[in-house]
Amino acid sequence: MTKDVEVAEATGAEFSAKDYSDPPPAALIDLEELTKWSLYRAVIAEFIATLLFLYITVATVIGYKHQSDDTLGNPDAACSGVGILGIAWAFGGMIFILVYCTAGISGGHINPAVTFGLFLARKVSLIRAVLYMIAQCLGAICGVGLVKGFQSAYYVRYGGGANELNADYNKGTGLAAEIIGTFVLVYTVFSATDPKRNARDSHVPVLAPLPIGFAVFMVHLATIPITGTGINPARSFGAAVIYNKDKAWDDQWMFWVGPFIGAAIAAMYHQYILRAGAIKALGSFRSNA
């Protein structure tokens, strides 16, 4: 297999034949997409996937808080429930499962920040990105609504699974945690779905959901004590809508601004540094000159 030389000389910008092909960039606005069932099928898949994601994960959070509530007379409350490790596994495991199930239909975004990063990299059109984000937010609201309906006795008492900044941290720290956490996630998404790796390592497409799920798992371990871990604006928004308390809404901006900044940085880092997009563009400009 021929090795791909991205840039042979820094000055000459010569390229050798590649053993893989990058898909063409998506159109910024593709009105023809609106006439295709594949788009609406993908939007439905994103809605259902995000609904299931929020239902399982928020139910896990509330269940853990109920089991570990020492005011209920349980002497072993501190050791009861799944713990933070179990919550992190619930989030990471569900992402692994749902990305595996929906990757061939919608790409398995399940997160507006992921969709935003892929849009910046021209992997999806603006129309598809907007419809995905709407579907993800609606799915999140419905998923948390199911949790409230099934666990109405505990839902409000245990915080509704809403993301809020811990009182021990300031807003700058919370924002930085969301930026870095989302960067880790979106960077993993780009790396796991890179067509260059798919061409050379046949196992990569099959295993792509696994590192993405692990990225979610690891980020939750690090940031649950700080913000409860957002890194997914739909997750934070859906929980805030159903819980509807002031603290959740006061901190809501952090769970949109942070993930979108982190996703943008990850997209630029992967496209323009790791994939040498900036150098390629410069080489093309010099060749034309």
Side-chain angles (χ1 to χ4, degrees):
M1 185 177 289
T2 306
K3 290 287 184 181
D4 168 35
V5 180
E6 296 287 352
V7 181
E9 297 288 342
T11 56
E14 299 176 359
F15 301 93
S16 67
K18 296 191 296 187
D19 55 6
Y20 68 96
S21 59
D22 287 312
L28 179 61
I29 299 177
D30 186 2
L31 295 178
E32 187 178 349
E33 270 192 313
L34 294 173
T35 65
K36 297 179 179 178
W37 165 243
S38 60
L39 172 63
Y40 301 103
R41 180 183 62 182
V43 170
I44 293 170
E46 287 292 309
F47 170 82
I48 296 297
T50 313
L51 183 155
L52 295 174
F53 176 60
L54 266 293
Y55 171 70
I56 296 296
T57 54
V58 172
T60 301
V61 170
I62 293 175
Y64 160 65
K65 289 184 176 181
H66 172 63
Q67 291 172 323
S68 59
D69 188 349
D70 57 9
T71 65
L72 300 179
N74 179 8
D76 300 320
C79 300
S80 299
V82 297
I84 290 179
L85 184 64
I87 292 173
W89 272 121
F91 279 89
M94 280 304 292
I95 286 296
F96 167 67
I97 292 168
L98 294 169
V99 170
Y100 179 83
C101 292
T102 60
I105 301 172
S106 66
H109 297 193
I110 321 171
N111 184 336
V114 171
T115 300
F116 181 66
L118 293 173
F119 165 69
L120 293 180
R122 299 291 299 278
K123 305 293 185 183
V124 295
S125 69
L126 178 61
I127 291 174
R128 183 175 292 264
V130 171
L131 291 178
Y132 274 21
M133 291 181 189
I134 293 172
Q136 290 155 359
C137 289
L138 291 177
I141 293 171
C142 293
V144 181
L146 286 177
V147 177
K148 183 176 182 180
F150 293 155
Q151 301 195 29
S152 56
Y154 308 127
Y155 181 81
V156 175
R157 178 174 181 172
Y158 297 115
N163 287 132
E164 297 176 354
L165 178 66
N166 191 303
D168 295 331
Y169 298 91
N170 60 45
K171 294 185 183 296
T173 301
L175 181 62
E178 289 296 309
I179 292 173
I180 296 171
T182 311
F183 174 87
V184 172
L185 170 59
V186 178
Y187 172 41
T188 304
V189 170
F190 274 102
S191 298
T193 58
D194 192 331
K196 182 177 180 180
R197 297 186 64 189
N198 290 352
R200 297 181 179 178
D201 303 313
S202 60
H203 62 279
V204 168
V206 177
L207 295 180
L210 187 59
I212 295 171
F214 262 106
V216 172
F217 168 70
M218 298 303 295
V219 170
H220 274 76
L221 287 182
T223 57
I224 282 176
I226 303 173
T227 61
T229 308
I231 70 171
N232 183 335
R235 178 262 184 270
S236 302
F237 179 71
V241 168
I242 301 299
Y243 185 52
N244 199 28
K245 301 294 182 182
D246 290 344
K247 176 62 173 172
W249 284 119
D250 290 343
D251 295 339
Q252 186 65 200
W253 67 271
M254 189 182 308
F255 300 108
W256 285 85
V257 175
F260 274 41
I261 292 175
I265 295 172
M268 290 186 290
Y269 174 63
H270 186 270
Q271 293 296 103
Y272 295 107
I273 297 178
L274 298 186
R275 294 300 304 276
I279 297 177
K280 289 179 183 178
L282 179 61
S284 176
F285 173 78
R286 287 176 174 173
S287 297
N288 293 336

PDB file of all heavy atoms in Angstrom, residues 17 47 58 65 142 145 218 236 254 274:
ATOM      1  N   ALA A  17       0.448  10.279  -4.975  1.00  0.00           N
ATOM      2  CA  ALA A  17      -0.856   9.634  -5.096  1.00  0.00           C
ATOM      3  C   ALA A  17      -1.295   9.093  -3.743  1.00  0.00           C
ATOM      4  O   ALA A  17      -0.493   8.542  -2.989  1.00  0.00           O
ATOM      5  CB  ALA A  17      -0.780   8.514  -6.121  1.00  0.00           C
ATOM      6  N   PHE A  47     -33.446  12.301  16.484  1.00  0.00           N
ATOM      7  CA  PHE A  47     -34.452  12.570  17.512  1.00  0.00           C
ATOM      8  C   PHE A  47     -34.595  11.379  18.461  1.00  0.00           C
ATOM      9  O   PHE A  47     -34.529  11.530  19.686  1.00  0.00           O
ATOM     10  CB  PHE A  47     -35.793  12.889  16.847  1.00  0.00           C
ATOM     11  CG  PHE A  47     -36.952  12.957  17.807  1.00  0.00           C
ATOM     12  CD1 PHE A  47     -37.193  14.112  18.540  1.00  0.00           C
ATOM     13  CD2 PHE A  47     -37.794  11.867  17.986  1.00  0.00           C
ATOM     14  CE1 PHE A  47     -38.256  14.178  19.439  1.00  0.00           C
ATOM     15  CE2 PHE A  47     -38.852  11.921  18.877  1.00  0.00           C
ATOM     16  CZ  PHE A  47     -39.080  13.079  19.614  1.00  0.00           C
ATOM     17  N   VAL A  58     -30.330  10.317  32.364  1.00  0.00           N
ATOM     18  CA  VAL A  58     -30.933  11.113  33.438  1.00  0.00           C
ATOM     19  C   VAL A  58     -31.597  10.199  34.464  1.00  0.00           C
ATOM     20  O   VAL A  58     -31.532  10.460  35.676  1.00  0.00           O
ATOM     21  CB  VAL A  58     -31.941  12.136  32.856  1.00  0.00           C
ATOM     22  CG1 VAL A  58     -32.721  12.823  33.976  1.00  0.00           C
ATOM     23  CG2 VAL A  58     -31.209  13.179  32.023  1.00  0.00           C
ATOM     24  N   LYS A  65     -28.878   9.234  42.904  1.00  0.00           N
ATOM     25  CA  LYS A  65     -29.080  10.195  43.991  1.00  0.00           C
ATOM     26  C   LYS A  65     -30.105   9.684  44.998  1.00  0.00           C
ATOM     27  O   LYS A  65     -29.969   9.912  46.205  1.00  0.00           O
ATOM     28  CB  LYS A  65     -29.519  11.550  43.416  1.00  0.00           C
ATOM     29  CG  LYS A  65     -28.405  12.279  42.671  1.00  0.00           C
ATOM     30  CD  LYS A  65     -28.852  13.655  42.198  1.00  0.00           C
ATOM     31  CE  LYS A  65     -27.705  14.402  41.542  1.00  0.00           C
ATOM     32  NZ  LYS A  65     -28.119  15.758  41.085  1.00  0.00           N
ATOM     33  N   CYS A 142     -38.010  15.400  25.198  1.00  0.00           N
ATOM     34  CA  CYS A 142     -38.927  14.258  25.337  1.00  0.00           C
ATOM     35  C   CYS A 142     -38.327  13.178  26.225  1.00  0.00           C
ATOM     36  O   CYS A 142     -39.038  12.552  27.028  1.00  0.00           O
ATOM     37  CB  CYS A 142     -39.260  13.688  23.960  1.00  0.00           C
ATOM     38  SG  CYS A 142     -40.241  14.800  22.924  1.00  0.00           S
ATOM     39  N   GLY A 145     -38.559  14.300  29.716  1.00  0.00           N
ATOM     40  CA  GLY A 145     -39.973  14.279  30.070  1.00  0.00           C
ATOM     41  C   GLY A 145     -40.431  12.888  30.470  1.00  0.00           C
ATOM     42  O   GLY A 145     -41.232  12.722  31.409  1.00  0.00           O
ATOM     43  N   MET A 218     -14.628   9.227  29.783  1.00  0.00           N
ATOM     44  CA  MET A 218     -13.482   9.846  30.456  1.00  0.00           C
ATOM     45  C   MET A 218     -13.753  11.307  30.809  1.00  0.00           C
ATOM     46  O   MET A 218     -13.388  11.776  31.895  1.00  0.00           O
ATOM     47  CB  MET A 218     -12.241   9.739  29.569  1.00  0.00           C
ATOM     48  CG  MET A 218     -11.802   8.309  29.272  1.00  0.00           C
ATOM     49  SD  MET A 218     -11.482   7.332  30.757  1.00  0.00           S
ATOM     50  CE  MET A 218     -10.078   8.200  31.443  1.00  0.00           C
ATOM     51  N   SER A 236     -28.070  19.318  28.116  1.00  0.00           N
ATOM     52  CA  SER A 236     -28.253  20.351  29.131  1.00  0.00           C
ATOM     53  C   SER A 236     -29.564  21.105  28.925  1.00  0.00           C
ATOM     54  O   SER A 236     -30.272  21.423  29.890  1.00  0.00           O
ATOM     55  CB  SER A 236     -27.075  21.339  29.089  1.00  0.00           C
ATOM     56  OG  SER A 236     -25.851  20.666  29.284  1.00  0.00           O
ATOM     57  N   MET A 254     -23.394  28.511  29.614  1.00  0.00           N
ATOM     58  CA  MET A 254     -22.105  27.832  29.714  1.00  0.00           C
ATOM     59  C   MET A 254     -22.120  26.514  28.934  1.00  0.00           C
ATOM     60  O   MET A 254     -21.112  26.104  28.360  1.00  0.00           O
ATOM     61  CB  MET A 254     -21.819  27.567  31.197  1.00  0.00           C
ATOM     62  CG  MET A 254     -20.442  27.073  31.534  1.00  0.00           C
ATOM     63  SD  MET A 254     -20.352  26.774  33.322  1.00  0.00           S
ATOM     64  CE  MET A 254     -20.958  28.336  33.970  1.00  0.00           C
ATOM     65  N   LEU A 274      -3.680  18.730  11.726  1.00  0.00           N
ATOM     66  CA  LEU A 274      -3.409  17.306  11.548  1.00  0.00           C
ATOM     67  C   LEU A 274      -3.552  16.866  10.099  1.00  0.00           C
ATOM     68  O   LEU A 274      -2.765  16.051   9.618  1.00  0.00           O
ATOM     69  CB  LEU A 274      -4.348  16.486  12.441  1.00  0.00           C
ATOM     70  CG  LEU A 274      -4.209  16.712  13.945  1.00  0.00           C
ATOM     71  CD1 LEU A 274      -5.082  15.728  14.699  1.00  0.00           C
ATOM     72  CD2 LEU A 274      -2.757  16.594  14.401  1.00  0.00           C
TER      73      LEU A 274
END
